[in-house]
Amino acid sequence: MIDPLLLFDVILGLAIVSLAVTVLVVRDRFAMIVLVIVFGLMSALAWVRLAAPDVALAEAAIGTGLTGALLLATWRQVRTEPERWPALPRGVMVINMGLCALVLAGLVGAFLATPLGTPGLGVAVADNLADSGVEHPVTAVLLNFRAYDTLMEVVVLLVAVIAVWMIDRGVSQAPQPTLGPELGDLPRGFARLVLPAITVIGAYLLWVGTSAPGGAFQGGAVLAAVGILLLLTQRYQPQPSHRPLARGVFVLGVAGFAAVALLVAGGGRVPFEYPADHAKTLILLIEGLVTLSIAATLAALFHGREPEAISTQGGRS
Amino acid sequence: MSIELLALVLIAAGAAFFVVGTIGLLRFPDTLCRLHALTKADGLGLGLTCLGVALLVGSVGEMLRILLIWGLVAVSSAVSGHLIAGHVLRSNAPVRGR
């Protein structure tokens, strides 16, 4: 008798691989984006099956929801261009295939070299969980044991939004394309109905991260959805005068994170060695600031270029 | 035991609605018909599944969270259906009986 869940896992794995192949093969851009979104949902399901709900939440919220929104917003701007890709030179294709084969060989090697059934670092994390300030092991790892890596991840997001604003400033002097057609009354009512709920859910995900799956990235992604809904329903229209505030919120996470690290390093500790009495407070403080930054950054990435005065014709404000 | 059986029946019925809706999505001729199949399946399928899962969880808090999820998905599903249908009507896509 086969375990029915094993059958489910095999089907799920095959579906993910075939979705990935289809994304690469299909020639229609819109179909491609839809397939990427489905691929993300299936991956989130796979993470659930691997008993990693934190990763599943992040994959569903950022990898699927927000990436899907970013891709669709991009598609809106490029869809009038002909659906033809210039042919790649054969040399580039061969080099790409070689690099992919190297990555695959590395992964297979790493998998084969790892002895089966070892507990990994899970035991070490469980042993030191009491000193971390939080009860959820994933948050303990992300915000305490390897907080430096997480700081770098937040820096990556900051660099991304800086790059998008810089590139858009350079390449295009054309008037900003609108985000979409006038959506009408129903989506506005929908926004009024769900926006308070989404805001509470985002804050809840942040708070619950100390003791259960959740945290800054998941909460930030949900709050970014608030920003996207506000932009789509035109309840919030970015103005040039909002730029300083936006920049401040973008750097809030990195600045707060680094400031805490440096401050705790003052009293003869190493950076990120939080004093045991205040560990939970400090972690929540960092996570709160990072959540705000992530939400603002992702919503700004969806909006695209930095806000400019719409009334001026062609000229920059 | 009987509660678990009832939950199982509800979840199975929900899954059946999803299967029927998917068949409709694949077989129906135009976007509006497909939308019709999908929204019905979505509404009833998800409602029954949530009801079944709510019977299985232990605490009132978790039940309320499942209820909240169901409500949010139901509202967004209805609104997306409306948006897609409006887009179809404004565009020149083939619609039966137009």
Side-chain angles (χ1 to χ4, degrees):
Chain A
M1 178 67 196
I2 317 167
D3 184 4
L5 279 177
L6 180 70
L7 195 66
F8 178 81
D9 290 345
V10 170
I11 293 175
L12 184 62
L14 288 176
I16 290 174
V17 173
S18 39
L19 275 168
V21 172
T22 321
V23 168
L24 294 176
V25 170
V26 74
R27 305 303 287 175
D28 179 60
R29 282 179 196 153
F30 185 74
M32 206 180 233
I33 294 171
V34 172
L35 283 167
V36 168
I37 294 172
V38 180
F39 172 83
L41 281 175
M42 291 295 133
S43 308
L45 200 55
W47 285 117
V48 171
R49 288 294 303 139
L50 290 168
D54 291 86
V55 192
L57 273 174
E59 177 67 36
I62 300 180
T64 306
L66 275 159
T67 312
L70 287 177
L71 288 171
L72 285 172
T74 313
W75 174 77
R76 219 191 128 68
Q77 299 196 10
V78 300
R79 65 175 169 172
T80 47
E81 292 168 20
E83 295 241 347
R84 294 226 348 240
W85 281 276
L88 273 180
R90 188 160 292 271
V92 176
M93 281 172 79
V94 171
I95 292 172
N96 276 345
M97 280 163 69
L99 290 176
C100 288
L102 268 181
V103 171
L104 187 66
L107 284 173
V108 170
F111 179 71
L112 292 179
T114 312
L116 285 173
T118 51
L121 291 172
V123 178
V125 171
D127 283 347
N128 294 296
L129 191 58
D131 303 328
S132 70
V134 291
E135 296 101 68
H136 186 52
V138 175
T139 307
V141 171
L142 286 181
L143 268 301
N144 198 334
F145 302 150
R146 44 143 273 190
Y148 190 68
D149 290 18
T150 310
L151 174 62
M152 287 303 123
E153 284 165 15
V154 184
V155 170
V156 167
L157 263 180
L158 178 63
V159 172
V161 76
I162 293 174
V164 165
W165 275 21
M166 298 280 280
I167 290 172
D168 257 0
R169 184 183 290 179
V171 294
S172 170
Q173 294 292 323
Q176 180 153 8
T178 52
L179 276 169
E182 186 61 36
L183 283 173
D185 290 335
L186 189 74
R188 282 163 186 265
F190 172 70
R192 201 160 49 216
L193 188 66
V194 298
L195 279 181
I198 311 180
T199 313
V200 172
I201 291 170
Y204 168 77
L205 274 173
L206 166 68
W207 170 253
V208 83
T210 56
S211 57
F217 279 89
Q218 292 87 346
V222 171
L223 289 180
V226 173
I228 290 178
L229 252 181
L230 287 173
L231 286 167
L232 277 176
T233 53
Q234 292 168 7
R235 285 192 166 271
Y236 169 65
Q237 291 175 331
Q239 302 295 330
S241 56
H242 300 166
R243 265 182 275 182
L245 180 66
R247 288 188 181 129
V249 182
F250 294 157
V251 296
L252 198 60
V254 174
F257 211 150
V260 169
L262 291 175
L263 281 177
V264 295
R269 298 183 176 83
V270 295
F272 297 114
E273 187 188 351
Y274 312 124
D277 297 343
H278 305 292
K280 182 169 182 177
T281 318
L282 288 175
I283 286 177
L284 269 176
L285 174 72
I286 294 172
E287 281 208 295
L289 297 177
V290 168
T291 303
L292 287 178
S293 277
I294 290 174
T297 306
L298 292 173
L301 287 176
F302 178 78
H303 181 259
R305 68 174 63 167
E306 61 186 311
E308 59 181 278
I310 294 169
S311 55
T312 56
Q313 285 187 334
R316 286 275 152 172
S317 57
Chain B
M1 178 60 211
S2 62
I3 285 185
E4 281 174 22
L5 197 68
L6 183 62
L8 196 67
V9 171
L10 285 171
I11 294 173
F17 270 103
F18 275 113
V19 172
V20 170
T22 310
I23 295 173
L25 175 72
L26 293 173
R27 302 284 299 169
F28 278 170
D30 62 46
T31 311
L32 290 183
C33 290
R34 288 179 192 152
L35 212 54
H36 158 80
L38 209 55
T39 45
K40 304 297 169 296
D42 218 26
L44 269 170
L46 186 76
L48 289 169
T49 310
C50 282
L51 210 58
V53 175
L55 286 178
L56 289 178
V57 297
S59 69
V60 178
E62 283 179 66
M63 273 186 202
L64 287 177
R65 264 172 270 184
I66 290 172
L67 189 74
L68 178 72
I69 292 170
W70 173 74
L72 285 174
V73 177
V75 171
S76 16
S77 163
V79 173
S80 357
H82 182 88
L83 280 175
I84 296 172
H87 184 76
V88 170
L89 288 180
R90 277 194 305 274
S91 72
N92 291 321
V95 174
R96 240 164 32 124
R98 171 146 78 183

